[in-house]
Amino acid sequence: METSLDLLKPGRKGIVTAVCVDRSLRDRLRSFGLVPGTVVRCSYRNPWGDVTALNFRGSTLALRTVDLRK
């Protein structure tokens, strides 16, 4: 079942199938290794739900929920 990463609950894993954000953010995410096929784990979501931390490829990256919806 495909969904967006903003719905991934802390402790759960998912696989990136597409990165559909503007070019500058897409290039930045690609430089971190967040590309289709990457397995990610949600490690934290702040209490307000507007920032989520994802673990992948040995790194942790915090992203805005609005970007994760894409």
Side-chain angles (χ1 to χ4, degrees):
M1 175 171 105
E2 277 192 40
T3 186
S4 56
L5 290 175
D6 69 309
L7 299 176
L8 199 60
K9 305 278 189 222
R12 302 293 300 215
K13 291 183 181 181
I15 299 173
V16 175
T17 58
V19 180
C20 303
V21 294
D22 63 72
R23 183 181 174 136
S24 63
L25 180 56
R26 185 181 64 235
D27 291 345
R28 186 158 175 81
L29 294 174
R30 185 179 294 152
S31 73
F32 285 110
L34 191 66
V35 296
T38 303
V39 176
V40 298
R41 185 179 66 82
C42 178
S43 61
Y44 174 80
R45 177 168 289 133
N46 76 351
W48 303 275
D50 58 345
V51 175
T52 300
L54 299 176
N55 296 98
F56 58 95
R57 301 183 190 270
S59 298
T60 301
L61 186 63
L63 295 164
R64 299 179 305 163
T65 300
V66 67
D67 293 326
L68 291 173
R69 283 189 188 120
K70 301 174 184 173

